[in-house]
Amino acid sequence: MKKKVLLFADFGIDDIMAIIYAYYEIHVEIVGVVAEYGNVDKRTAIRNARYLQRNTGRYDIPLIGGAERSMTGEPPIYYPEVHGPEGFGGYVLPEDFQAEGDVFENFHQIYDIIEKFDGELNIVCVGRLTSLATSFILYPETVAKVSDIFVMGGTFNFPGNVTPVAEANIYGDPYAANIVFNFAKNLTIFPLNVTQKAILTAEMVNEIEILNKEKNSQLGSIIKPMMDYYWQFYKSQIPTIPGAPLHDVVTLWGVFNEKHIKYERKPVKVVTSQGSAFGQTIGDFRDFIQLAEYPVHRIAMEFNYTAFINRVIAVLTVELNNHQSL
């Protein structure tokens, strides 16, 4: 049975890859998309989501405007060197594309979607946690009806990617992450130490490009210029890396691949005090019977890379071209 997913994303490269994957993954049914600030500003995130609507024909899926800024009160920091100024890396949107309207406010639709799929819905959050935390504040009894929540964020016993100890999604709004980690039930965390291994190599990107060109796939043509740009950034930081990691795709893939993932349930805390540890996620992995009294959540520790990457390539080539509506 397909997993019904409400996706929260901030529509940089890995988010865009995740939603393209999700639209053509037969095990997933996307029932709503929340576009918020993060890798890009909210207006650009909504524009990017609309462009993907145009290229997939999925106008049936509600698009919800999420948060515009974090709960820290600080202006958001964007990362054009990672995702490109428009969030599409080296891919340039065609001149004939015009986003419809400006930023809109329809956040209440999150409530409607959760109520509609009472007990069947999975939330997957692969961006900042601001909109998800806001849902916990506004609709606590309704959010409690969600079956499972999957979050890409944090890092455990592994360096951060924004500071020496903090990962970007958590660091961007630790206050929001603290709300989610304190109040979420059935929460699964896919941390950086796992997602960093979900690499789509340059050779794989070229293979996907060749197969999609043979099918004259307009949507498939987005992938290579995005992933090449993403890889160039990663190479500038990690010269030996063979490609770029699909942080958000592996999190979404994890929703229906329990047998291919090793988890541990451990107490987790988010550092919200200002200082060098701001935004750090602390997991108590000690071999003690008595551990820290933090909320306990399920944390992904390892995954079957071969099973993951084979499925991703199949979806981005065969499934995409078999089901693309344009």
Side-chain angles (χ1 to χ4, degrees), residues 129-143:
L129 277 70
T130 313
S131 294
L132 182 54
T134 301
S135 302
F136 273 92
I137 293 169
L138 294 176
Y139 319 122
E141 293 184 5
T142 297
V143 174

Side-chain angles (χ1 to χ4, degrees), residues 21-286:
Y21 170 79
Y23 280 151
Y24 298 101
E25 173 53 75
I26 60 173
H27 298 98
V28 170
E29 179 185 355
I30 298 293
V31 298
V33 174
V34 181
E36 63 183 318
Y37 83 99
N39 294 320
V40 295
D41 63 83
K42 177 181 176 179
R43 184 181 301 274
T44 303
I46 290 174
R47 189 276 315 273
N48 292 353
R50 280 181 162 148
Y51 183 67
L52 293 169
Q53 276 185 327
R54 183 180 102 160
N55 280 273
T56 59
R58 296 308 306 271
Y59 293 102
D60 57 310
I61 298 174
L63 177 58
I64 298 164
E68 188 163 340
R69 58 183 67 91
S70 79
M71 295 180 178
T72 66
E74 298 296 325
I77 299 172
Y78 307 119
Y79 298 94
E81 70 277 14
V82 183
H83 298 277
E86 303 295 330
F88 277 96
Y91 179 76
V92 179
L93 271 65
E95 292 183 3
D96 69 341
F97 175 70
Q98 297 292 328
E100 301 172 9
D102 295 319
V103 171
F104 49 84
E105 296 178 349
N106 58 342
F107 195 81
H108 64 276
Q109 288 190 24
I110 292 174
Y111 172 94
D112 296 337
I113 289 171
I114 297 173
E115 290 289 347
K116 178 179 179 180
F117 299 103
D118 186 0
E120 296 181 69
L121 185 69
N122 298 274
I123 285 178
V124 178
C125 181
V126 293
R128 309 299 185 261
L129 277 70
T130 313
S131 294
L132 182 54
T134 301
S135 302
F136 273 92
I137 293 169
L138 294 176
Y139 319 122
E141 293 184 5
T142 297
V143 174
K145 298 177 182 180
V146 171
S147 173
D148 288 280
I149 297 175
F150 293 79
V151 165
M152 188 277 126
T155 183
F156 299 100
N157 304 323
F158 189 81
N161 58 358
V162 176
T163 76
V165 297
E167 179 276 330
N169 283 342
I170 306 299
Y171 182 82
D173 195 345
Y175 301 154
N178 191 46
I179 290 170
V180 174
F181 285 18
N182 277 334
F183 295 104
K185 308 297 181 187
N186 299 325
L187 174 65
T188 297
I189 303 167
F190 274 73
L192 184 66
N193 43 290
V194 170
T195 66
Q196 188 83 352
K197 300 172 185 175
I199 291 176
L200 188 69
T201 68
E203 289 76 16
M204 293 171 184
V205 170
N206 289 337
E207 177 187 344
I208 291 169
E209 171 77 355
I210 290 168
L211 293 171
N212 283 327
K213 269 191 171 181
E214 289 175 356
K215 299 293 185 178
N216 196 29
S217 169
Q218 183 178 353
L219 183 61
S221 69
I222 297 172
I223 294 171
K224 181 172 170 56
M226 283 200 308
M227 291 305 297
D228 283 353
Y229 189 101
Y230 207 32
W231 181 38
Q232 289 304 314
F233 165 76
Y234 271 97
K235 278 205 302 185
S236 72
Q237 303 300 311
I238 311 170
T240 58
I241 198 167
L246 298 174
H247 304 282
D248 301 342
V249 180
V250 73
T251 304
L252 189 63
W253 174 84
V255 172
F256 62 94
N257 277 285
E258 297 279 328
K259 66 180 180 180
H260 291 306
I261 303 166
K262 177 185 175 182
Y263 295 105
E264 291 191 26
R265 294 186 63 83
K266 295 294 181 181
V268 178
K269 177 182 175 63
V270 179
V271 177
T272 56
S273 55
Q274 294 289 336
S276 57
F278 186 64
Q280 181 180 12
T281 45
I282 298 173
D284 192 345
F285 289 89
R286 295 176 293 176

